[in-house]
Amino acid sequence: VNVPDEPLDLVYRHNRVTRTTHWLNALALLILLMSGLQIFNAHPLLYWGNTSEPEKAFFSIGAANDDGELRGYMQLYGRQIDTTGYLGVQQGDFAPSARAFPRAGSRFPATIRLPARAAGTFSSAGCSH
Amino acid sequence: LFALNGLLYILFNLASGHVRKFFLTLSDAKQVHSMVAYYLRLRKQSPQDGDYNPLQKMAYTGVFVVLTPLVLFSGMAMSPQLNVAFNWLPAIFGGRQSARAIHFILAFGFLFFVFGHVFMVLTQGFLNNMRSMTTGWYREKIQIRKEAPRALPETRPDIARALREEAPPAPEKTDAPGEALRAEDGVPHPVLQLRPMQRPSLLYGRNRRKRKMSTPNLKLNRRQLLLATLHSTAAVALSGCEKTFDSLSESETVQSILASAEQANRRVQRMLTTRNKLAREFTQEDISPIFRANGNPPPMTMDYAAGAKNDWADWRLDVTGLVQKPARLSLIELKSFPSRTQITRHDCVEGWSAIGKWKGVLLEEILKLVRPRPEAKYAVFRCMDTDSDGNNYYESIDLIDAVHPQTILSYELNDRPLPVDNGAPLRLRVENQLGYKHAKYIRAIEFVESFEKIAGGKGSYWADQGYEWYAGI
């Protein structure tokens, strides 16, 4: 197919301010979203109201110990979806661990098996007191 | 950065009058449904009139008018110090936890917008858009001639043949895109143009006349592209970036930038808060059934066990440092001071909240007793609990927070002696800051000018681990 040899027809579409603000915005949003996910991971439950009683969370990502198998789940208004390998549980270096959003380099979906004693509750790293 | 940048963008657009082009007006709103129908291929004619179509306008307006302000306000509603400054802030979202939920849901709204935005860029000619995004120049028309045939030869011999036969007509510019588009009644959606039954000449006729709006130029199968975008977004978001992110957050430059941001944040928040303004107090009914306890397990040392005997009869609080008159107080003596009872919400840095009723002695009373010397700047709280490495917990607040009317040394929770989990015998309540500032198991208070020589030098167990010393956030 021969291409007609015509000069490029360029239209000046985005000015400098639009361009720089957009790229900065992309950077800022990326940082905000990533740090937001990290913050969410510290307590992956959402509630309505002023206080947080875990059994009243309308949304949560968690892990449950199901006969020695750590099972990741996502809960919304009491309905649970099994998300093992994607959310709630991830394959760590030695054993699977409970974690809402997976960490870098984790293989997923991952099949997960662990001894019954490793209870699947989220450890409360971070907040003391 | 996000806020400043966004403000600059909005100001610039207001100044240039560009805003009129992408803000949703009432007449646009009426056309949204027909645009949806158009995209779903139920309607042949695009209702677009101007540079942006009604759906685009709706998305942009939504992000600027709804999403951004809401995400900012719900974020601020989670700040303990701003909650003191503006009591109504969490209330408009229905409570602090509601604000948190809304904040995270809105974040996904942003993600959805970005995903859609980037998807559109990718489908509408990736390289060309990248060019205009970096240099500002967007190439028109030529790409149709070059790329349409290249993408088609094998699969669409009919079109390829037709392209060779029909030399493209000379480019004809029009400066009124809206008119050009309106004139094309009956032209199907660009995506449909590549279908075999489509007359190639029509494909030319249409694209040639378009200006400014990017030209639909699908080379990949739309479903493949959608999946590819989804996968790469997920992969980038969930894995690649986190490593960079982790190393970034550990770098010293970033740390010092964040530290100066913390200083600025503290100053601004202090400025916004009238001195001695109170954090919201709740009613008896609001009290959480279980007041969650975090952090180190209760101290199990011999000293602690010995102190706990006889209701802490032998325990003493040492108040030392840069003071005129050091003191050594028993729990009974502390209880003899004027007390304050407050039902307040405790907000943990992790995200959870609990409401409890605290009774204790105003820290200000202790200050009056020991009279800090003028050079004293901070009160350091020495605690009896340790982490698994044996590091003692400690915290510090400045003397402005120390004399706040809600800053108390509490010995009662919900009308009962302070439980061991919540910090028996004595804990700090500093209601304009996050939970980790509320030191538990206090054994001594030391007044200092600087905490550089204490433990990690950052003024608090958690600050030594990289948390903010000022937790009004």
Side-chain angles (χ1 to χ4, degrees), chain A residues 15-76:
Chain A
N15 60 57
R16 197 167 294 162
V17 178
T18 310
R19 278 178 279 139
T20 42
T21 51
H22 266 71
W23 283 112
L24 281 174
N25 199 40
L27 180 76
L29 264 182
L30 182 75
I31 294 174
L32 285 169
L33 287 170
M34 296 310 293
S35 65
L37 283 186
Q38 280 193 330
I39 290 167
F40 180 77
N41 265 0
H43 188 71
L45 302 100
L46 296 177
Y47 318 83
W48 298 122
N50 255 313
T51 55
S52 44
E53 281 95 55
E55 62 280 1
K56 287 189 189 152
F58 74 90
F59 175 81
S60 60
I61 297 174
N65 198 340
D66 191 11
D67 280 336
E69 205 166 334
L70 205 53
R71 199 171 52 79
Y73 67 81
M74 190 169 87
Q75 176 267 126
L76 182 69

Side-chain angles (χ1 to χ4, degrees), chain B residues 106-350:
Chain B
L106 292 175
F108 278 89
F110 269 102
L111 199 64
F112 183 73
F113 173 76
V114 169
F115 178 74
H117 198 68
V118 172
F119 175 73
M120 286 316 239
V121 169
L122 290 178
T123 50
Q124 310 295 305
F126 177 65
L127 288 177
N128 205 0
N129 268 303
M130 285 312 282
R131 187 217 317 277
S132 71
M133 278 152 68
T134 45
T135 64
W137 291 98
Y138 185 76
R139 186 170 60 165
E140 288 220 331
K141 294 175 196 122
I142 297 295
Q143 63 160 352
I144 309 304
R145 288 181 209 122
K146 266 190 179 165
E147 289 170 4
R150 196 177 58 206
L152 298 171
E154 277 93 44
T155 51
R156 294 283 142 75
D158 47 344
I159 296 182
R161 199 179 328 114
L163 286 175
R164 258 174 269 130
E165 282 160 13
E166 286 187 34
E172 148 198 328
K173 282 184 187 171
T174 154
D175 288 314
E179 260 181 52
L181 286 169
R182 267 202 304 279
E184 287 168 12
D185 284 6
V187 175
H189 184 272
V191 175
L192 295 178
Q193 285 167 6
L194 302 183
R195 302 210 158 174
M197 64 284 263
Q198 182 70 43
R199 288 212 329 271
S201 55
L202 249 185
L203 175 122
Y204 269 140
R206 176 182 169 77
N207 283 329
R208 186 169 39 80
R209 269 184 275 170
K210 282 183 73 179
R211 269 191 71 100
K212 285 191 180 172
M213 270 299 291
S214 50
T215 321
N217 180 24
L218 273 176
K219 277 167 281 166
L220 274 170
N221 172 325
R222 179 164 282 206
R223 190 168 300 158
Q224 282 172 352
L225 194 67
L226 188 67
L227 278 174
T229 325
L230 193 73
H231 275 137
S232 52
T233 315
V236 166
L238 291 178
S239 54
C241 283
E242 195 178 312
K243 265 186 190 143
T244 330
F245 202 72
D246 280 352
S247 60
L248 203 68
S249 54
E250 275 155 27
S251 101
E252 275 185 22
T253 332
V254 174
Q255 282 298 328
S256 70
I257 293 172
L258 290 177
S260 56
E262 184 192 333
Q263 292 280 327
N265 186 32
R266 179 165 58 95
R267 277 194 208 109
V268 171
Q269 293 197 347
R270 279 267 167 81
M271 216 163 65
L272 289 171
T273 318
T274 332
R275 190 70 55 88
N276 293 348
K277 186 150 187 228
L278 299 185
R280 180 175 168 198
E281 297 195 7
F282 294 80
T283 62
Q284 198 78 29
E285 292 84 67
D286 298 320
I287 292 175
S288 303
I290 299 163
F291 198 96
R292 185 175 162 156
N294 250 13
N296 299 326
M300 280 303 139
T301 58
M302 293 298 283
D303 281 354
Y304 189 78
K309 261 191 271 176
N310 307 323
D311 291 333
W312 300 95
D314 298 328
W315 171 89
R316 292 289 181 274
L317 175 73
D318 284 315
V319 191
T320 58
L322 301 171
V323 292
Q324 320 263 5
K325 189 172 160 274
R328 194 173 159 80
L329 301 162
S330 71
L331 199 55
I332 295 166
E333 283 171 299
L334 284 168
K335 286 180 182 172
S336 69
F337 281 100
S339 72
R340 187 176 204 282
T341 305
Q342 58 202 32
I343 302 176
T344 51
R345 198 189 56 229
H346 178 93
D347 298 321
C348 176
V349 65
E350 281 181 347

Side-chain angles (χ1 to χ4, degrees), chain A residues 50-52 127-129, chain B residues 77-81 83 90 96-97 282 291 344-355 429 431 433-438 471:
Chain A
N50 255 313
T51 55
S52 44
C127 187
S128 181
H129 296 220
Chain B
M78 288 189 279
S79 149
Q81 178 78 58
N83 280 351
R96 201 244 185 193
Q97 287 298 325
F282 294 80
F291 198 96
T344 51
R345 198 189 56 229
H346 178 93
D347 298 321
C348 176
V349 65
E350 281 181 347
W352 56 267
S353 309
I355 293 175
R429 298 295 312 164
E431 304 293 357
Q433 304 213 29
L434 289 176
Y436 62 87
K437 294 300 281 187
H438 302 228

